[in-house]
Amino acid sequence: MALVEIKNLHKSFGSNHVLRGIDFTVEQGEVVCVIGPSGSGKSTLLRCVNLLEIPQEGQVIVRGEDICDRDCHLDAARSQIGMVFQQFNLFPHLSVLANCTVAQTTVLKRGSAEAEKIARANLDRVGLNDKVKAFPMQLSGGQQQRVAIARALSMDPALMLFDEPTSALDPELVGDVLTVMRKLALDGMTMLVVTHEMAFAREVADRVVFMDGGVIVEQGPPAEVIGNPQQERTQNFLRRVLNPTHVEPT
Amino acid sequence: MSRPTDIVERKGLSPRQRAQRSRWIQYGILVALLIVAGVSADWGQIGSVFFKPEYIKSAFEDGLLQALVKTLEYTAGAFVIGLLGGTLLALMRLSIVGPYRWIATAYIEFFRGLPAIVVFIAFSLLPLAFEGMTIPFDPYGTVWLALGIVAAAYMAEVIRAGIQAVPKGQLEAARSLGMPAGLATRKIVLPQAFRIVLPPLTNDLILLVKDSSLVFIIGTTASAYELTGFGRDLANTYANLTPLVTAGFCYLIITLPLGILVRRLEAKAARAR
């Protein structure tokens, strides 16, 4: 059984039809990168998987449970899905450690000693065990994003969602975050990543999904989708992304 | 072709010289006014009416400090009620349940639109209108309630603005960690909202210190006098303004440091941005 199964997903904001029937699955342990031009609906798709956006039509089935269903325990479902945002969204009034424990103690009802132990282990995993007492404002963007990853990991999620995790970072800080993500992938974490980092997608992803205009245009192993795209829209997009300074002849 | 210097030469004075002349004229007016005031006023009379030393002394002996403590007690209790009520009203205004929003809006508009003194007069008449009705912790209960229900209306709007100023991503991050809406509001949104509104809330506290003077409308006994009631009573007795002026200075001792605190907090918030 697939870990995540999305069936015929539709989402509109007013008259703007952002997702126009998405079907795809993520298997246990799989790393899926979603690429596509801005406005193609890839972030919206990601946000539908933990229902930060409520789709108008379709199903999002996580571990066999339709989380769009009214009877579903939404908060319990969400606590099993880690989310990493473009803007980090760390809690600025809490220390790094408290950022990683607050949901453990309140949602999972773990004792504070246990929560702290788990938080420290995950901060160690992202290479920030020396920043436990710091506050988010004292950290660089790259460090903040790694704390955000540790915060999500502390909930022992079955699936991690990454919404353009490196897009708000200074270029020299991107590498640290991608290294952490690469390590997670090697550890067998199931990951759904919206990204513009083609090199990362090519190297780490088991599967690349190309979206445009609210539909999945093409998907498959990175060597095929990025290395040898079949669809014209994919080819055009990759040409623009991989040669940003290249001017198309008119 | 005219060069800039041509214009200056024609008018006689350079712009800088004109600004200097205007500044000297303003200083001149100020000095003239001070001289007129100094010569024409009867300083001996003013001193004995507003600042008579023996009345200042007797104000202290007659319980100025107790009155100051009462003012602080009335203000503190009302601030707590205002804060709790204001937070509740702010959350109601942002509720997804329509009737809660309507009730909160009606309450806020009603008590912000009404002069506070009307509320106090109403509270002073309550025991007459409802015979045998008592509000517990007399006289504190009545004062706290009267001040608090007005303060809650003002604070509700401030707190609502603070809640809405917390970035949307904060709530999304909390929800994506599995926190239910109520928990996310309590643990994540409200602590940040209160940080944002700390300066305007301190302003509301200053207003409350001053509004606590309205307590004398309720007609408390002498032992429950706050600063204004105390100063007025003593000023009447002596037919001299000194006790009232002394009470007035006590307000400034409370409000001026709070005002400085507000400016510090605002500067700190501006730096953090």
Side-chain angles (χ1 to χ4, degrees):
Chain A
M1 184 178 66
L3 186 66
V4 180
E5 197 174 351
I6 290 170
K7 288 183 184 163
N8 189 33
L9 200 68
H10 285 267
K11 174 69 187 176
S12 308
F13 296 103
S15 60
N16 184 13
H17 201 163
V18 180
L19 297 181
R20 300 163 181 264
I22 301 280
D23 293 275
F24 88 109
T25 57
V26 182
E27 300 295 331
Q28 177 83 43
E30 203 181 14
V31 177
V32 179
C33 283
V34 184
I35 61 171
S38 61
S40 57
K42 52 195 193 305
S43 279
T44 306
L45 170 63
L46 201 69
R47 291 164 61 82
C48 281
V49 174
N50 68 352
L51 294 201
L52 287 178
E53 306 292 351
I54 310 293
Q56 273 90 9
E57 205 188 317
Q59 288 175 301
V60 179
I61 299 162
V62 179
R63 285 177 160 177
E65 190 179 18
D66 182 0
I67 62 172
C68 297
D69 191 76
R70 282 173 164 279
D71 295 331
C72 166
H73 194 318
L74 184 55
D75 295 320
R78 273 186 181 139
S79 71
Q80 297 173 20
I81 303 172
M83 176 98 177
V84 175
F85 298 87
Q86 187 178 346
Q87 300 294 339
F88 330 137
N89 292 348
L90 289 183
F91 306 133
H93 61 299
L94 299 178
S95 71
V96 163
L97 188 66
N99 262 279
C100 298
T101 56
V102 63
Q104 289 189 66
T105 51
T106 54
V107 178
L108 302 180
K109 309 286 182 205
R110 284 178 183 155
S112 60
E114 188 196 0
E116 205 168 292
K117 202 175 129 213
I118 292 168
R120 281 176 191 275
N122 283 307
L123 285 167
D124 197 40
R125 216 166 155 188
V126 300
L128 286 172
N129 48 357
D130 55 332
K131 300 287 184 189
V132 166
K133 289 203 168 70
F135 279 81
M137 260 183 51
Q138 300 165 317
L139 304 180
S140 73
Q143 291 171 331
Q144 289 193 43
Q145 193 60 297
R146 279 144 68 198
V147 173
I149 293 171
R151 174 175 73 178
L153 288 176
S154 296
M155 301 296 284
D156 296 332
L159 165 73
M160 286 282 284
L161 307 175
F162 293 84
D163 187 5
E164 302 195 25
T166 57
S167 296
L169 295 176
D170 290 336
E172 78 271 20
L173 303 175
V174 169
D176 289 345
V177 172
L178 291 183
T179 303
V180 167
M181 290 170 64
R182 204 173 282 125
K183 221 166 73 187
L184 270 184
L186 285 177
D187 289 347
M189 176 61 74
T190 312
M191 293 161 66
L192 183 54
V193 186
V194 170
T195 187
H196 291 294
E197 299 288 337
M198 290 305 144
F200 175 83
R202 198 196 295 251
E203 181 203 343
V204 179
D206 298 308
R207 186 152 48 97
V208 171
V209 174
F210 174 71
M211 277 181 73
D212 191 16
V215 294
I216 292 174
V217 177
E218 192 168 351
Q219 59 174 312
E224 283 174 26
V225 177
I226 298 177
N228 182 25
Q230 299 304 305
Q231 300 291 324
E232 201 187 332
R233 281 198 276 180
T234 320
Q235 292 163 0
N236 284 336
F237 171 74
L238 287 170
R239 202 158 41 232
R240 283 198 305 274
V241 172
L242 298 175
N243 306 302
T245 52
H246 176 75
V247 179
E248 301 266 330
T250 46
Chain B
M1 257 208 25
S2 72
R3 289 172 296 132
T5 47
D6 292 344
I7 304 166
V8 172
E9 275 159 28
R10 230 180 294 130
K11 297 233 176 150
L13 285 171
S14 73
R16 190 175 298 182
Q17 280 171 320
R18 245 177 296 151
Q20 205 166 25
R21 191 177 62 179
S22 145
R23 195 182 322 149
W24 281 118
I25 292 172
Q26 292 183 50
Y27 274 118
I29 293 172
L30 184 63
V31 170
L33 285 173
L34 285 175
I35 290 171
V36 170
V39 170
S40 61
D42 181 347
W43 289 106
Q45 176 75 9
I46 290 174
S48 68
V49 170
F50 289 100
F51 307 103
K52 203 166 187 174
E54 55 260 45
Y55 288 154
I56 296 178
K57 189 163 159 272
S58 65
F60 274 97
E61 284 161 2
D62 285 354
L64 179 75
L65 292 180
Q66 285 93 303
L68 175 64
V69 170
K70 281 277 182 295
T71 290
L72 291 175
E73 287 171 348
Y74 293 157
T75 306
F79 189 69
V80 171
I81 291 183
L83 206 56
L84 294 176
T87 307
L88 183 67
L89 284 166
L91 291 173
M92 282 170 71
R93 269 211 76 162
L94 298 171
S95 166
I96 47 169
V97 183
Y100 282 147
R101 283 201 305 274
W102 306 331
I103 292 168
T105 307
Y107 179 98
I108 290 165
E109 295 303 329
F110 182 79
F111 282 105
R112 283 204 311 172
L114 216 58
I117 199 165
V118 172
V119 177
F120 273 81
I121 293 172
F123 264 88
S124 71
L125 296 176
L126 275 182
L128 290 179
F130 299 93
E131 228 171 307
M133 175 183 156
T134 51
I135 297 172
F137 303 115
D138 191 68
Y140 292 107
T142 316
V143 174
W144 286 341
L145 216 56
L147 276 173
I149 60 174
V150 177
Y154 284 93
M155 291 188 192
E157 282 298 88
V158 170
I159 295 166
R160 177 188 59 82
I163 291 172
Q164 287 178 318
V166 175
K168 204 171 139 241
Q170 290 292 312
L171 187 64
E172 288 185 348
R175 298 305 303 273
S176 75
L177 286 166
M179 290 192 186
L183 184 69
T185 303
R186 251 184 316 122
K187 289 271 177 191
I188 305 301
V189 177
L190 281 183
Q192 294 183 59
F194 277 112
R195 271 187 187 197
I196 294 169
V197 300
L198 205 53
L201 271 187
T202 313
N203 262 329
D204 278 342
L205 180 60
I206 294 173
L207 293 179
L208 256 180
V209 172
K210 298 190 291 173
D211 277 353
S212 70
S213 63
L214 293 170
V215 165
F216 86 93
I217 301 281
I218 297 181
T220 50
T221 54
S223 64
Y225 273 159
E226 42 58 67
L227 283 170
T228 303
F230 171 81
R232 192 179 102 130
D233 201 43
L234 218 56
N236 277 339
T237 313
Y238 297 143
N240 186 289
L241 282 166
T242 304
L244 198 61
V245 170
T246 314
F249 270 107
C250 289
Y251 281 110
L252 293 178
I253 289 171
I254 306 170
T255 54
L256 289 182
L258 285 176
I260 293 168
L261 180 67
V262 172
R263 249 169 290 147
R264 289 252 172 95
L265 291 171
E266 277 170 351
K268 201 177 151 199
R271 271 203 307 280
R273 228 165 268 145

